[in-house]
Amino acid sequence: MAEITVKAGQALERILTLELVRVTERAAVASASLRGRGDEKAADKAAVDAMRRELNRLPIAGRIVIGEGERDEAPMLFIGEEVGTGKGPAVDIAVDPLEGTTLCAKNMPGSIAVMAMAEGGTLLYAPDVYMEKIAIGPGYPKGTIDIDASPEDNIHSLAKAKGVKPSEISALILDRPRHAAIIEAVRKTGAAVQLITDGDVAGVIHTTNPEETGVDIYLGTGGAPEGVLAAAALRCIGGEMYTRLILDTEEKRERAKKMGVSDPKKIYTITDMVRGDCLIAATGVTTGNLLKGVKYDKGVVKTHTVVMRSATGTVRWIEAEHRDLSKFHLG
């Protein structure tokens, strides 16, 4: 993991770690109440409303730099929105109030509520476009993967670095028609392919613990906002990730330019996307490999959250039992 230097007074306050957990817990519980109902937008709106409500209680001067919903016209915590009380540190915020809206609507595994918070001016201000991505977890020599190399070359390089045959490598790829060639190339090496329908933030995080998740490498294209959130997680845990924005129209290039992207072909590393100290929290909505979903018992709501901090490399797993249910505003 790259060395992180945090100057005195610039680190995020430790108290914000638990506050961040409360934000994702509220969003997860709100959307979980609509699991299996088949209404993606209603579940997303419930998560957005809950997340906004909790963010506005935090002692921060926050700005949303990575929002969600532009592409599918869902409810948004929009880019540029100011959140928090305004009395506290200036922070950048990236959110995906409900990653895996389809998973939640169909009550399928792996949907989460996730957000990252970083020192002001340190998160990549990325437009809501698609992004090429490749990622692996910690413990490998730098340069093990290359976004410009073929899928075959990356699988062989990773297998060599891990000391195994390519047939012992497993790649996680979003199940999309655009990935057909990547899937075929990976399978030609003998490596396994694990397909997911949604959830590439959790997908990238899976690479950090292949013994538990069975995932060694993430490949493919997905949303740029999710790419920055995933980079925040790897900033905390370690690993290697390279991305490149897909700016294939003049409108997208102009939009990116207005957001400060001067080189449309730039390859971004983890530290390009998340430059300073950051926190990231994710709470399970439906149970998956990473997190357990929200569980409703008699008079109790149970949640499962992971929260990480880059300055210390600390990862906390929090299983909570909530008895004051009024805080969830479930009506």
Side-chain angles (χ1 to χ4, degrees), residues 169-307:
I169 296 296
S170 179
L172 189 74
I173 303 172
L174 273 172
D175 189 5
R176 299 287 188 273
R178 65 180 181 269
H179 291 150
I182 295 176
I183 293 167
E184 182 182 2
V186 170
R187 285 178 172 157
K188 278 185 178 179
T189 68
V193 172
Q194 182 177 331
L195 295 174
I196 55 172
T197 58
D198 289 282
D200 58 346
V201 176
V204 171
I205 298 174
H206 284 349
T207 67
T208 66
N209 191 8
E211 290 76 18
E212 290 292 328
T213 64
V215 176
D216 295 292
I217 184 170
Y218 178 92
L219 293 162
T221 62
E226 291 85 352
V228 176
L229 278 162
L234 294 191
R235 181 77 156 128
C236 299
I237 306 172
E240 198 170 351
M241 183 176 185
Y242 300 98
T243 69
R244 180 163 45 212
L245 297 170
I246 299 176
L247 303 173
D248 50 4
T249 68
E250 187 60 32
E251 184 272 333
K252 290 177 185 176
R253 287 188 287 272
E254 281 301 312
R255 185 149 47 102
K257 187 176 181 181
K258 289 177 182 178
M259 298 176 77
V261 178
S262 57
D263 180 2
K265 297 181 180 179
K266 178 179 174 64
I267 295 172
Y268 295 92
T269 65
I270 292 170
T271 50
D272 289 323
M273 292 183 279
V274 187
R275 296 189 299 276
D277 184 20
C278 73
L279 302 168
I280 182 167
T283 300
V285 177
T286 58
T287 297
N289 286 342
L290 182 67
L291 292 160
K292 300 174 189 175
V294 174
K295 184 176 181 180
Y296 298 95
D297 277 340
K298 293 180 180 179
V300 176
V301 172
K302 298 179 180 179
T303 56
H304 188 208
T305 302
V306 60
V307 60

Side-chain angles (χ1 to χ4, degrees), residues 12-88:
L12 296 173
E13 297 293 337
R14 287 188 177 186
I15 193 171
L16 288 177
T17 301
L18 188 55
E19 297 298 335
L20 211 66
V21 171
R22 291 192 178 101
V23 174
T24 57
E25 284 176 343
R26 302 297 198 275
V29 172
S31 53
S33 67
L34 294 166
R35 287 180 300 207
R37 306 297 175 84
D39 193 336
E40 296 180 17
K41 289 192 175 181
D44 198 27
K45 183 178 187 304
V48 169
D49 290 347
M51 187 168 277
R52 177 182 282 116
R53 185 166 52 242
E54 286 304 308
L55 281 171
N56 282 329
R57 295 173 51 147
L58 297 187
I60 56 171
R63 182 182 65 135
I64 304 293
V65 297
I66 296 291
E68 68 88 52
E70 230 174 66
R71 207 164 36 238
D72 60 4
E73 298 181 356
M76 295 176 66
L77 271 159
F78 60 85
I79 293 172
E81 181 174 350
E82 295 181 356
V83 294
T85 64
K87 299 176 182 178

